[in-house]
Each structure stands twice: as structure tokens, then as C-alpha cells.
Amino acid sequence: MSYFVEVVLPLALDKTFTYQVSEAEYAFLKKGMRVAVPFGKNKIYTALAIELHRNEPLLYKAKEIHQILDEVPVVNEFQIEHWKWVADYYMCSIGDVYKTALPSGFLLESETIIAAPQDVYADSKELEDDEFLIWQALQQQSSLKVEDIMAILGKKNVFPVLNRMLAKNVLTLQEEVIEKYKPKVTKYIRLQPEFLQQEQLSELLELLSRAPKQRELVLQYFQLQATEKKPVSVKKLVEISGAGQAAVKSLVDKAVFEEYYLLEDRVRFEKSEDSGFALSAPQQIALNEIKDSFEKQSVSLLHGVTASGKTEVYIKLIEEYIQSGKQVLYLLPEIALTVQLVSRLTAYFGNQIAVYHSKYTNNERVEVWQQVLQNSEKAKIVIGVRSALFLPFSNLGLIVIDEEHEQTFKQFDPAPRYHARDAAIVLAAAHRSKVLLGSATPSLETYYNVQSGKYGLINLTERYGKVLLPEVFLVDLKDKYKRKRMKGHFSDTLIEAISESLSLGEQVILFQNRRGYSPFVECMTCGHVPQCPNCDVSLTYYKYKNQLRCHYCGYSIANPTHCHACQSVDLSTKGFGTEQIEMELRELFPEKNIGRMDQDTTRGKYGYEKIIDAFREQEIDILVGTQMLAKGLHFDNVTLVGIMNADNMLNQPDFRSHERAFQMMMQVAGRAGRSEKKGKVMIQTYNPYHNIIRQVTSNDYIGMYKEQVYERHNFKYPPFYRLVKLTLKHRDFDKLKEGSMWMYNVLTQSLQIPVLGPEEPAISRIRNEYIRTILIKIPQKSHLGNTKKMIRKIGSSFEAIPQYRAIKVSVNVDNY
Ligand code: ADP
Ligand code: ZN
Ligand code: ZN
């Protein structure tokens, strides 16, 4: 009698594998538990059981599992079904999905490298014998492979010990980039103990009778203590008492108060008392309409202008779902946005919110996973970026997808190359839950689904508090250059507008699209531009580090002092990025504080947070940034938004470039004038008559939609055609060329639908590999599943040809 378990391995393998288990194991095992299994020559992986059966495999002899790693399933059946769908739809393996979905601490394998955590002192008395041996070994060697541990303990079954140690925090995985960030601390204040007695206090107040501010501070301190019964922060006390920091300082100097610091928890689980709010009339109408539309449709779009208070509508909707005991998933396109949202939501819901994204450590992610798995009260609402979709929800009632138009919802590399919005809609269907998409500038795909009646639509056309939408002004760059009204990249009109806002104590945002505008160095004598030796791109100039760097492979050199081609020393920097704008601003406004927000200034766990905080606290007057700024951030005091150059957004060789340019400009513009002060948006462009610019100026989403949908139809693009893009890579130029031609020919012959290529992309070599792409356009009338099956089959035939085997092929479905 034999018993088997079918498992998924965390590898890009197209099938599942059968392993043998004992009768007792068979009885104990459940779908969704992890098992350690041997695979290949002598590797061990953490596999996922997805089926139990009695069917001996025909083609190979089933190996035995090493052991079962869980007492209860850590993955549920909703997930397994969903992952199968993701693998099938996005044409990858379920192993790819499994690997992406689980926090890496759940996926030990023999090759995993483990290390002792820094700054954690393990008490050896608390460790069991085998744990102690591992711990000791790690004192001698900074890191060990799981294989080494097997040797140390003299057994193969080491995953359980390691899992225990990971849970106790006495081990970490080396792959984790352990960032040296300063945890956020808050300054608190307390009365020195001797003043706690009644008579001492009266004496103290008596003593302070000549310092009314200090006296008031002490009184307020008592008031706060009595009402809130929790530590009193200096900030709060200063706020409430109206006394200044100086008064606090004198009291500390007099040893009446003492200051102390507490770590702010990574999520502030505190419900604040004044977090209640009522919806405005238009918001209330929108909320009712959403609920009505959910009666008929499970997906609805909230199309609300910037600062209409979409978040408030979500909050009230979410409340109803958690009150009925359901779980809620709130997806955001960008980690940067979680910070503002988490504090807004925790203030309202308190201790029911969990956050999940890649900047969290493995332990933090495992913790959230467990909470969701247990349907815990602490994770009723999960806020996350796309991967939060893979958490073990069992009772999902609502998914909110904010800024649904953002392309960051699509994962590019590695597989699974899924779109979180689309995958979320499928997940919701399995749970019979609802999906609310929200945006001021919906994606064409979503709006098309609205128009065809598939999704519901709710409009919110005015800003909260009747704040007016900003007024848009165009600056014609051609004219300005001709009339010599430019200073660097700033027109006189823009400079004037900035000065005016600053003089009123208001803040300014300047937007510089990064794409296609990386600065580079050029020789003025021979025109030579330093190139990356591994990639088909010029090196980007970084003024701050005085370096040239490749964006694609990280190659870097010191900024050359002379041209490598002709030895001339006449070199100049070209192009303009955020860094250059920042430098120019410092010259234009030397006495102002200027901040910059882009990929380079926001590294590290609290990178974004620091800049956002500083800007909100008005420590920064002008903030220069890239796309990141376009996201749903809210700053009260910004009245002017400048778009440095609209044209580079319009001129991208991409069928979505116009839609994106519109979205980006509308979104950045939406940062202006979000409170009483009416905002201004100034767009510098060479094409003031461009349709997209006109549509931005007149806030004409529908006009943009109609025109773009018409183009998409004519040129065979989504939503009328589905796209599958194949990317082929190889170090040998000729072999790649030949291989992609073969692929193209076979696809064309077998599919009878438009196949384009093989194309040499704009950047045709990265890390010494040449690249070719093939684009397949699948019309709505073709059967999507069958077409993909065919593509897969052709892919397998391709792999079977010996001379092409080394060519890497990746597949991207619904290429964004
Ligand atoms: P959106 O996400 O639509 O751009 P927000 O949700 O950021 O807009 O709202 C804009 C501003 O208006 C925020 O400061 C928010 O706190 C405030 N606001 C919106 N609705 C309300 C409300 N009903 N009560 C109080 N403040 C609100
Ligand atoms: Zn030269
Ligand atoms: Zn490179």
C-alpha cells in the first residue's frame, strides 16, 4: 500500500511532483502544509503539499519526503486555486507564484544561507541542545549554509529547528538586506517622581506662580495624564498648552520634568480620539451609490477628482465590512504611500490594521501572514502593495485598489509577471467579495469595462470642502527660448510664480519626469558620450558622487577628466534630471530650503518617510521630484506645482505614453491647492497645442479617453487586443537573431493572428546579453486559453532545439 503527496517546489518548473509518505504521514498531512523534500542530486527544498493521493507516478519512482514542517496548513485552498490561475494566465509556473507569495523565512532550502542577527543577544539557557549547537557555530562563522547545519547536527531534518530559531529571532536569512536605519523614536516627558505627592505638587505650582507658561504646562500635563493614561509626548504637550519648547526646556533644566524616548512601533496601533469624521454630502452620495452598485456588480470604479476625499469614502465602506466580520485588503501602488495611509487608518480603526510589503523584515512578514491565516483581529484590514494579494485570506469581503491606474501594480521581473489589480479581481470572485477601484485618472482598460457595463461607476466631481481644482497655465518654451526668457530650465513665468508662492509662505512642488532624461557627459570636441561596456546605454552622470553609473547593471566609473576617445578636456554634462533642477534652484533661491525626492534620495526603510515628513513639517520650501510625487500624497500648504517639461512624457515610443502623460500631469497637478488656497499648475512645454496638454488644461478625462480608445482600436492594442510579449536573450548576437527568427516564423504560421517582431528594443543589450522581443496581439474573438496553450507549446519546441536551448525566453502577458 502506498501513499503519495503532490507538491509544488519553489522553482520555475512547469509541473508538480509526487513524493511518497507513510500511512501515518498521509493521515496527518493536509493540503497547504509544507514538507521538506529532497530534489535533484542532493538539494532539499521546502515544498507545498497541494494534494494527497494513492496514484503511483508512472514516469519516475517517487522519493520519500524528509518530513512534514507544519502542524496546520499555512496556505489555504483559496490561495492554491488562485495561484494556479495566476500561473496559467500569466504563463509561468505555480512554483514561481509559490516562491513569490511566501515570506522567504517560510521557504528554507539546503542552499539558504543563514546568519546570526546583529544586536540580538541569545540567552543560551533558552536554547535547546541542537539550537545551541547552531548558535555556537554561528558565533565562529558569520554565516552558514543550511547544508552545513545538517553536517553539524548530523541529520537531514534540520528545517524544524531552524524554523524555531527564526521564530525566536536568534537567526536571520542572509539574503535580507539588513538596513541600518535608525528606528523612529518619539520624545516623551514625565514628572520627576518626587513631585508626584500632592503637597510637593502644590509647592511646585506655588513656586512657578511667576512663570505662568511653565505653570500652565505642568497643569496641562496633569490633565493629559488623567484623560489619556498614556505617555505624554513633548509635541502633544507643547501643542495643547500653547507654551513653547523653551518652557519645556526650563522645566527639564529645573529637574521638574525629565525627558525620555520610546521607540515608535513600526505600526502605530493607537486609535486616536479625534479621528471621527462625517462624510460630506457628495461623499455620502458616492458611498450609497457604491453600495447600490455592489448589489448588481462586484467591481466598481470610484472616479473621484484629486482631493475629493476618496480615502474617507473607502474608510466608511471598509468599516461596514469589518463590522460584519469580514477581512479587507487595501492595495496601494507604492510603498511610499503606505506611510500616510497607515497613520490615517490606524487613527480611525486602531489595532486592526496590518501592513505588508517588501521593506518589512522576514519576521515581520511571517507575523502578518500568521495573523491573516488565523483571521486575527489584528489583521482585519491589510494594507499592502501588490504581493499582499498572496496572503492567506479566508474571509475576504472587500478589496480596495487605490490609484488603480498605476503601472506599478504590474510586476515586470521576475515571474510571476502579474497585474495585481487584475489578479485581485479574480481573487475577489473566488471569495465572492467586492472590489472598489479608485482613481482620479482611471486606466483606459478600467474605464472601458465601465463603458461596456462590466464594472459599476461612481463619480465624485468636487473636491472636499468645495476646494477648487487648480488652474492650469501653459508656458511655451519655444517662445521663451527665442526671447531669451530662460534661466537654465526655468522660464521667467515659472520663476515669478515660485517667488510669489514662497513669499506668501506657501510651498512648491516641481516635477521632472525621469524617463529619457538622465544626464550624461558629452565631449564637446568629438561628441563622444561614455557608454556602459555591458549594456547598450550611455552612463548616467551623478553630480553628487561625481560618478558615471549605468542604470541597468550598476557599472560605475569616476567622472572622467578628459575624453577617452580624443583626450580633450572640454567635457560637458547634458540632459536634465532632478539633480540638475535642484542645483539650479539653489542658485535661483539661495535662501530657501530645497528637497529632492527620487530613487536616489529615498533609499532605505524610512527614505520616503523622512522627505515626506520634512515637507509636511514645512522644513522644505520647494520639493523637486519624479513620478513618485505624482502619487496620492496630500500636503496642505502646496499652492504651486510646476511641470518642468511635458514633452518628454508625450514622446515616449509606447502605445500608453499619451494616457500616461495625461495621468501623470493630472496627478501632479492634483497636489496643488488641496486646502482653502486655490492652487496653480504651470506646465512648461514646446507643444502647448498638443491634445493631451489641452485635455489636462480643461480637466477633460472623457475627451482623453475617447480619443485614446479610438487609437487603441485602430492600432490593435488593449483593451481590444490582448498582448503577449516574448523577450529573448543571449550573449551571442547571431544565435539570438536566428533563434528569434525561428520563433517568429513558427508563431506566425501557427497562430494566424498579428505577430510583430522580432524587434531590437531601444536598449538592445543589458549585462552583455543581446535582446530581441516578439509581440503577439490576440484579438478578442480568439480563444485566449487556447492561444496561450499554443504559445506554450511552441516555447517547449523551441527549448527542445539544441542550438537554441541557451536562449532565455521570458513571457509577459498584458504587457504594461
Ligand atoms: P483623494 O484621495 O480623493 O485625493 P483625500 O482622501 O486625500 O483625497 O482627501 C483630501 C483631504 O480632504 C484630506 O486632507 C482629507 O483628510 C480631507 N477630507 C476629505 N474628506 C473629509 C471629510 N469627510 N471630513 C474631513 N476631512 C476630509
Ligand atoms: Zn572627445
Ligand atoms: Zn550597464
Side-chain angles (χ1 to χ4, degrees):
M1 273 304 178
S2 313
Y3 300 90
F4 300 99
V5 57
E6 202 64 24
V7 303
V8 173
L9 288 164
L11 299 170
L13 298 167
D14 245 345
K15 46 183 187 262
T16 57
F17 292 83
T18 311
Y19 282 85
Q20 188 158 11
V21 290
S22 70
E23 189 178 354
E25 285 169 330
Y26 188 81
F28 183 80
L29 255 178
K30 292 193 182 64
K31 288 185 200 180
M33 287 185 183
R34 293 168 304 151
V35 287
V37 299
F39 186 78
K41 259 222 176 93
N42 41 27
K43 294 222 168 114
I44 300 172
Y45 289 100
T46 296
L48 181 72
I50 59 163
E51 228 184 284
L52 294 153
H53 61 81
R54 314 281 309 264
N55 314 321
E56 183 136 19
L58 296 174
L59 298 176
Y60 53 94
K61 168 126 183 48
K63 290 185 187 170
E64 285 175 27
I65 66 164
H66 277 307
Q67 71 203 129
I68 300 172
L69 297 171
D70 295 309
E71 313 251 298
V72 292
V74 293
V75 169
N76 67 36
E77 300 205 17
F78 280 111
Q79 292 172 287
I80 296 173
E81 285 312 304
H82 188 233
W83 298 356
K84 283 183 185 162
W85 177 86
V86 171
D88 189 51
Y89 185 88
Y90 292 103
M91 302 179 72
C92 61
S93 74
I94 185 169
D96 286 324
V97 190
Y98 169 52
K99 189 161 185 172
T100 299
L102 266 72
S104 42
F106 268 155
L107 288 176
L108 290 175
E109 53 188 65
S110 44
E111 305 285 295
T112 307
I113 296 171
I114 56 167
Q118 289 163 322
D119 314 326
V120 170
Y121 174 75
D123 184 353
S124 53
K125 281 192 284 301
E126 281 179 15
L127 298 175
E128 289 169 33
D129 291 351
D130 43 6
E131 294 175 3
F132 182 70
L133 283 175
I134 298 171
W135 181 74
Q136 222 179 14
L138 282 172
Q139 305 307 306
Q140 262 119 58
Q141 258 169 300
S142 59
S143 67
L144 290 169
K145 274 195 178 176
V146 169
E147 287 176 333
D148 306 329
I149 309 267
M150 292 175 187
I152 292 169
L153 298 186
K155 61 179 183 184
K156 288 208 158 135
N157 302 346
V158 302
F159 288 1
V161 190
L162 296 177
N163 280 328
R164 274 201 312 271
M165 294 179 73
L166 280 170
K168 285 184 188 170
N169 230 334
V170 291
L171 277 191
T172 56
L173 304 182
Q174 182 151 75
E175 63 180 62
E176 274 182 52
V177 207
I178 301 183
E179 284 169 5
K180 290 253 194 312
Y181 67 87
K182 270 217 193 80
K184 223 178 154 170
V185 289
T186 302
K187 204 195 302 184
Y188 290 93
I189 199 163
R190 62 185 163 220
L191 212 57
Q192 296 280 17
E194 63 260 36
F195 295 107
L196 288 173
Q197 263 85 41
Q198 192 58 46
E199 57 270 33
Q200 260 80 3
L201 180 67
S202 327
E203 229 169 84
L204 174 64
L205 289 174
E206 184 63 42
L207 213 76
L208 293 177
S209 61
R210 290 229 232 115
K213 277 199 179 145
Q214 296 176 19
R215 190 164 185 273
E216 182 58 23
L217 251 178
V218 173
L219 284 171
Q220 287 294 346
Y221 172 84
F222 270 91
Q223 191 93 48
L224 269 178
Q225 275 273 288
T227 50
E228 305 208 349
K229 299 195 172 50
K230 66 176 189 205
V232 173
S233 74
V234 172
K235 192 166 169 233
K236 181 111 188 221
L237 188 59
V238 167
E239 231 170 65
I240 288 195
S241 65
Q245 292 278 0
V248 177
K249 190 169 179 300
S250 335
L251 285 169
V252 172
D253 290 346
K254 288 182 190 161
V256 175
F257 278 128
E258 69 175 329
E259 289 175 333
Y260 65 108
Y261 294 83
L262 288 179
L263 280 186
E264 248 178 67
D265 204 337
R266 58 177 193 272
V267 180
R268 274 146 276 148
F269 286 142
E270 248 167 60
K271 196 165 172 161
S272 86
E273 259 123 62
D274 52 3
S275 67
F277 63 91
L279 293 182
S280 68
Q283 288 171 335
Q284 186 61 50
I285 294 170
L287 178 63
N288 293 343
E289 285 177 356
I290 292 168
K291 287 193 275 180
D292 286 347
S293 84
F294 281 163
E295 301 278 312
K296 301 183 287 280
Q297 269 138 330
S298 41
V299 183
S300 279
L301 167 68
L302 175 59
H303 183 192
V305 296
T306 52
S308 54
K310 292 185 286 295
T311 320
E312 281 66 24
V313 177
Y314 304 149
I315 289 176
K316 296 287 182 188
L317 185 68
I318 290 170
E319 189 168 31
E320 299 191 8
Y321 282 86
I322 55 170
Q323 271 168 4
S324 67
K326 293 287 193 180
Q327 295 169 308
V328 174
L329 171 61
Y330 194 135
L331 287 181
L332 286 165
E334 187 95 41
I335 293 172
L337 295 178
T338 56
V339 182
Q340 271 200 354
L341 187 73
V342 169
S343 43
R344 246 156 118 179
L345 260 65
T346 40
Y348 193 81
F349 292 109
N351 188 17
Q352 295 180 296
I353 294 173
V355 187
Y356 192 78
H357 59 61
S358 60
K359 284 204 181 175
Y360 277 179
T361 66
N362 182 47
N363 274 337
E364 291 166 336
R365 275 182 281 165
V366 167
E367 192 182 311
V368 173
W369 186 283
Q370 296 289 9
Q371 288 169 347
V372 174
L373 187 68
Q374 290 148 17
N375 196 0
S376 145
E377 287 302 318
K378 286 189 189 142
K380 278 295 174 197
I381 305 168
V382 178
I383 299 177
V385 293
R386 52 180 192 243
S387 61
L389 190 65
F390 296 123
L391 285 165
F393 296 103
S394 52
N395 188 23
L396 199 55
L398 174 71
I399 304 180
V400 173
I401 305 175
D402 197 13
E403 312 292 347
E404 67 84 30
H405 62 278
E406 282 292 341
Q407 69 200 88
T408 42
F409 279 123
K410 178 79 159 79
Q411 167 146 322
F412 273 93
D413 264 322
R417 300 181 175 83
Y418 64 106
H419 195 298
R421 175 194 63 216
D422 300 346
I425 290 172
V426 171
L427 180 70
H431 284 268
R432 294 176 188 287
S433 60
K434 306 294 180 197
V435 180
L436 183 62
L437 308 174
S439 175
T441 52
S443 63
L444 286 199
E445 281 76 2
T446 293
Y447 214 77
Y448 181 77
N449 283 327
V450 165
Q451 297 281 303
S452 65
K454 225 167 124 185
Y455 298 171
L457 171 68
I458 294 89
N459 286 306
L460 197 48
T461 51
E462 64 182 62
R463 286 186 150 186
Y464 174 71
K466 304 228 164 56
V467 170
L468 294 172
L469 280 166
E471 201 172 339
V472 182
F473 300 87
L474 300 180
V475 177
D476 184 346
L477 285 177
K478 215 189 294 166
D479 173 65
K480 291 290 180 190
Y481 274 109
K482 208 166 75 200
R483 295 198 288 130
K484 304 215 177 338
R485 297 287 172 80
M486 298 292 293
K487 275 196 189 142
H489 297 92
F490 290 81
S491 61
D492 54 352
T493 325
L494 182 57
I495 295 175
E496 229 167 80
I498 297 174
S499 314
E500 192 190 320
S501 293
L502 295 179
S503 72
L504 296 170
E506 297 158 2
Q507 290 166 288
V508 176
I509 287 179
L510 295 177
F511 172 72
Q512 169 54 40
N513 185 36
R514 175 175 203 132
R515 280 176 82 185
Y517 257 105
S518 305
F520 57 92
V521 170
E522 188 181 28
C523 168
M524 298 311 279
T525 309
C526 76
H528 173 77
V529 174
Q531 303 287 311
C532 174
N534 314 317
C535 311
D536 168 31
V537 290
S538 28
L539 295 169
T540 301
Y541 171 60
Y542 284 80
K543 179 143 190 166
Y544 166 66
K545 287 193 173 156
N546 201 30
Q547 249 187 7
L548 300 184
R549 257 211 322 255
C550 170
H551 275 321
Y552 289 87
C553 71
Y555 172 87
S556 73
I557 52 171
N559 190 23
T561 49
H562 58 271
C563 171
H564 293 310
C566 75
Q567 311 303 323
S568 157
V569 291
D570 191 7
L571 302 178
S572 126
T573 53
K574 283 286 158 66
F576 80 111
T578 41
E579 197 176 334
Q580 193 164 353
I581 298 294
E582 184 192 356
M583 308 291 282
E584 291 182 12
L585 274 172
R586 287 191 197 288
E587 278 174 27
L588 289 168
F589 301 99
E591 75 290 7
K592 295 294 176 185
N593 292 320
I594 291 154
R596 175 160 65 97
M597 177 154 141
D598 56 26
Q599 273 175 30
D600 303 316
T601 59
T602 52
R603 299 231 162 85
K605 191 163 180 171
Y606 290 112
Y608 295 103
E609 202 174 2
K610 271 188 225 142
I611 298 175
I612 292 171
D613 276 355
F615 193 52
R616 180 156 345 93
E617 301 290 324
Q618 304 188 20
E619 287 157 25
I620 294 174
D621 302 306
I622 310 175
L623 184 60
V624 186
T626 54
Q627 324 350 23
M628 281 176 202
L629 276 179
K631 311 293 161 63
L633 295 169
H634 184 84
F635 305 105
D636 276 338
N637 192 40
V638 173
T639 50
L640 175 67
V641 167
I643 295 175
M644 297 305 297
N645 179 327
D647 307 292
N648 62 55
M649 290 184 257
L650 293 166
N651 299 334
Q652 299 292 328
D654 172 349
F655 71 95
R656 284 184 212 269
S657 66
H658 285 185
E659 176 193 1
R660 287 224 181 104
F662 178 86
Q663 288 164 339
M664 227 182 275
M665 283 189 259
M666 291 298 286
Q667 292 286 346
V668 228
R671 303 312 114 209
R674 292 172 70 95
S675 47
E676 316 80 57
K677 306 164 194 163
K678 181 169 163 123
K680 246 190 223 175
V681 177
M682 200 155 276
I683 303 179
Q684 301 196 128
T685 173
Y686 285 98
N687 297 290
Y689 297 103
H690 194 289
N691 277 353
I692 289 289
I693 304 262
R694 293 275 130 193
Q695 286 148 1
V696 169
T697 314
S698 55
N699 186 21
D700 184 10
Y701 176 82
I702 301 292
M704 184 283 296
Y705 169 78
K706 285 193 177 140
E707 190 175 294
Q708 293 303 315
V709 153
Y710 177 78
E711 304 254 301
R712 297 276 189 97
H713 185 266
N714 277 354
F715 295 101
K716 299 194 168 63
Y717 280 113
F720 305 98
Y721 284 73
R722 304 251 181 188
L723 302 182
V724 175
K725 182 167 154 188
L726 305 184
T727 304
L728 295 87
K729 291 187 191 168
H730 198 278
R731 295 176 87 95
D732 180 332
F733 182 82
D734 293 320
K735 191 170 276 180
L736 176 71
K737 202 167 146 193
E738 197 187 305
S740 19
M741 213 50 216
W742 183 97
M743 182 76 100
Y744 169 79
N745 286 331
V746 178
L747 284 168
T748 318
Q749 281 153 23
S750 0
L751 291 176
Q752 312 289 339
I753 54 176
V755 179
L756 278 64
E759 196 187 330
E760 216 178 304
I763 293 161
S764 66
R765 189 174 57 120
I766 293 177
R767 295 175 194 266
N768 285 319
E769 285 184 317
Y770 293 93
I771 307 169
R772 283 278 197 287
T773 60
I774 296 175
L775 189 66
I776 305 162
K777 293 180 169 181
I778 310 175
Q780 275 167 333
K781 61 177 195 299
S782 301
H783 190 286
L784 191 61
N786 288 345
T787 310
K788 283 182 185 165
K789 225 177 257 161
M790 194 63 144
I791 298 173
R792 274 189 200 255
K793 225 169 100 188
I794 295 169
S796 314
S797 312
F798 184 78
E799 269 175 39
I801 301 171
Q803 70 265 35
Y804 300 150
R805 190 163 295 151
I807 298 179
K808 281 184 257 163
V809 183
S810 63
V811 187
N812 192 333
V813 177
D814 294 347
N815 175 49
Y816 270 71

